[in-house]
């Protein structure tokens, strides 16, 4: 491990370099900042990255656990929507495989940190009306099914699209 003081820029030079219009092409180094100072700042930022990124970065085991949970919830949603479409909408040949939970947000983009939540979008292209339509009963059906399965689930209705807040391991409260 490097001694942090050996790579830390002097306090009087602690502002970070930002390119600006310093030469005829509009780029360059301001006359008051030397390349050595920029290199020292770069080394200091590398030390910070080496020190803090491993502490907050999501691990492969946690990613796999979240994916297993997503698959479990997706199967529950498929079954609940299949039953709803057969019983309520009288569609005996509803394709449950068309129902998917797609991950988006920090988990999908690779920017998730330890204990990040997982944002999932429900795709049910053959449901009429679609689950995000105001007249759809599917969000309430899913909320009830998830509660019946022992998950913490709460449908938020005063949103542009229905959102179900879901807790994998709810407390009694």
């Amino acid at each position: 491990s490097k001694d942090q003081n050996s790579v830390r820029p002097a306090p009087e030079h602690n502002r970070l370099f930002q390119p600006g219009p310093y030469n005829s092409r509009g780029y360059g180094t301001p006359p008051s900042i030397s390349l050595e100072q920029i290199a020292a700042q770069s080394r200091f930022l590398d030390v910070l990255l080496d020190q803090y990124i491993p502490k907050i970065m999501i691990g492969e085991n946690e990613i796999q656990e979240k994916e297993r949970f997503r698959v479990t919830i997706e199967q529950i949603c498929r079954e609940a929507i299949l039953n709803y479409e057969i019983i309520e909408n009288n569609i005996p040949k509803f394709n449950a495989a068309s129902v998917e939970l797609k991950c988006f947000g920090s988990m999908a983009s690779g920017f998730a940190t330890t204990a990040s939540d997982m944002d999932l979008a429900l795709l049910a292209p053959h449901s009429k009306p679609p689950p995000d339509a105001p007249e759809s009963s599917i969000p309430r059906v899913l909320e009830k099914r998830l509660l019946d399965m022992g998950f913490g689930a709460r449908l938020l209705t005063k949103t542009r699209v229905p959102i179900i807040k879901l807790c994998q391991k709810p407390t009694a409260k």
Side-chain angles (χ1 to χ4, degrees):
S1 172
K2 297 179 185 176
D3 178 20
Q4 286 185 1
N5 293 330
S6 67
V7 294
R8 182 173 288 169
E12 65 272 11
H13 302 293
N14 63 0
R15 68 183 177 166
L16 294 175
F17 167 72
Q18 296 181 7
Y22 300 107
N23 64 25
S24 60
R25 293 184 309 255
Y27 300 101
T29 311
S32 64
I33 298 179
S34 70
L35 292 176
E36 291 80 23
Q37 291 168 326
I38 294 169
Q41 290 175 357
S42 177
R43 287 190 302 273
F44 176 64
L45 291 173
D46 285 341
V47 167
L48 290 177
L49 288 172
D50 291 344
Q51 183 178 4
Y52 290 103
I53 294 295
K55 292 178 183 176
I56 62 169
M57 191 170 82
I58 191 167
E60 189 60 37
N61 288 343
E62 189 176 353
I63 291 170
Q64 290 172 357
E65 180 183 330
K66 288 181 183 296
E67 176 57 15
R68 283 191 297 272
F69 181 63
R70 186 202 65 77
V71 169
T72 298
I73 298 303
E74 182 178 69
Q75 188 58 41
I76 292 168
C77 290
R78 282 180 175 164
E79 292 169 5
I81 291 173
L82 174 64
N83 289 339
Y84 172 79
E85 294 293 350
I86 290 171
I87 295 167
E88 298 298 323
N89 286 343
N90 198 24
I91 303 174
K93 294 185 180 184
F94 182 81
N95 180 6
S98 68
V99 175
E100 296 179 83
L101 281 180
K102 290 287 189 179
C103 190
F104 69 98
S106 63
M107 289 293 297
S109 68
F111 286 100
T113 57
T114 300
S116 285
D117 64 355
M118 189 168 40
D119 299 307
L120 301 171
L122 175 68
L123 304 178
H126 301 299
S127 291
K128 301 291 184 237
D132 60 341
E135 64 275 13
S136 177
S137 298
I138 290 175
R140 283 275 177 226
V141 167
L142 294 179
E143 178 190 40
K144 181 174 181 349
R145 179 72 175 140
L146 291 165
L147 287 169
D148 290 346
M149 298 288 298
F151 296 105
R154 186 168 139 228
L155 178 62
L156 306 179
T157 56
K158 295 182 181 184
T159 55
R160 192 169 42 90
V161 295
I163 295 172
I164 297 178
K165 300 288 278 183
L166 180 62
C167 180
Q168 184 176 8
K169 299 172 186 170
T171 62
K173 183 180 176 185

